[in-house]
Amino acid sequence: MTKNEIALAPDAALLVIDVQKGFDDASYWGPRNNPAAEANIAALMDAWQETGRPVVLVQHASRTAGSVLAADHPGHAFKDFVADRAGEASLLVTKTVNSSFYGTPDLAAWLTAQGIGQLVVSGIQTNMCVETTARMAGNLGYDVLVPLDATHTFDLAGPDGTGLTADELATATAVNLHGGGFARVVTTAQLLGS
């Protein structure tokens, strides 16, 4: 193992969060970052399936009126590259909030039953469901790895019209997770050993 590679547990679970078609609607979400996110997520899914490690798919079913992620909207469906690999998934969690730990079935109970202690958290949005899930996983005592380049997000406005770009939000997430001790922020290449 080179110094840039990351030691992965033989049963490390890959969480693929909310990689759904509705996030392709730029008129709804606005500008995004990291156009390589999908390719990196696909590479991780392929590597996990090749090694027999568990893959957990998480799907958001929004309760917000008019949401492109509502269960009855076409945007609720997984993006094609995830749907094509979904047959190999170990678990599908459906959620209506940011944390994958508040979904059905119960993610923590499943991880405990499987004896899994290490999680790799990828998906959409970096600063929302990915960060929330990673923070909670860290609080619950899991060894959490977040390949930031296997996530993406969108520009976002805050109070008084103050806004941050998607790249600024991703950087803030990296600092929050890594600096706050919730997770180790890594790259897809490090996880793939290349």
Side-chain angles (χ1 to χ4, degrees), residues 84-129:
D84 291 345
R85 293 164 172 83
E88 302 296 322
S90 303
L91 182 70
L92 170 62
V93 174
T94 302
K95 65 180 181 58
T96 59
V97 295
N98 298 97
S99 177
S100 301
F101 287 94
Y102 288 112
T104 304
D106 184 290
L107 177 59
W110 184 83
L111 292 167
T112 298
Q114 303 299 313
I116 295 169
Q118 187 178 61
L119 305 179
V120 174
V121 184
S122 67
I124 309 169
Q125 299 180 58
T126 311
N127 57 313
M128 298 288 184
C129 298

Side-chain angles (χ1 to χ4, degrees), residues 106-177:
D106 184 290
L107 177 59
W110 184 83
L111 292 167
T112 298
Q114 303 299 313
I116 295 169
Q118 187 178 61
L119 305 179
V120 174
V121 184
S122 67
I124 309 169
Q125 299 180 58
T126 311
N127 57 313
M128 298 288 184
C129 298
V130 171
E131 183 172 348
T132 302
T133 298
R135 283 174 176 255
M136 191 163 179
N139 283 167
L140 290 170
Y142 294 97
D143 177 22
V144 185
L145 300 162
V146 178
L148 203 68
D149 61 354
T151 74
H152 81 76
T153 192
F154 303 90
D155 293 2
L156 189 64
D160 302 320
T162 303
L164 294 176
T165 67
D167 281 336
E168 290 170 332
L169 290 166
T171 298
T173 290
V175 172
N176 289 339
L177 293 178

Side-chain angles (χ1 to χ4, degrees), residues 15-114:
L15 273 62
V16 179
I17 300 174
D18 303 348
V19 184
Q20 294 166 246
K21 291 182 178 183
F23 282 118
D24 289 335
D25 187 345
S27 66
Y28 188 89
W29 299 103
R32 69 168 273 186
N33 72 333
N34 191 19
E38 286 84 354
N40 288 330
I41 294 166
L44 289 170
M45 291 182 76
D46 290 344
W48 253 249
Q49 290 168 1
E50 287 168 13
T51 59
R53 289 184 172 101
V55 175
V56 176
L57 299 181
V58 181
Q59 189 171 30
H60 194 83
S62 179
R63 293 181 178 167
T64 303
S67 172
V68 295
L69 299 178
D72 62 352
H73 191 281
H76 179 258
F78 286 120
K79 293 188 182 196
D80 291 343
F81 78 93
V82 172
D84 291 345
R85 293 164 172 83
E88 302 296 322
S90 303
L91 182 70
L92 170 62
V93 174
T94 302
K95 65 180 181 58
T96 59
V97 295
N98 298 97
S99 177
S100 301
F101 287 94
Y102 288 112
T104 304
D106 184 290
L107 177 59
W110 184 83
L111 292 167
T112 298
Q114 303 299 313

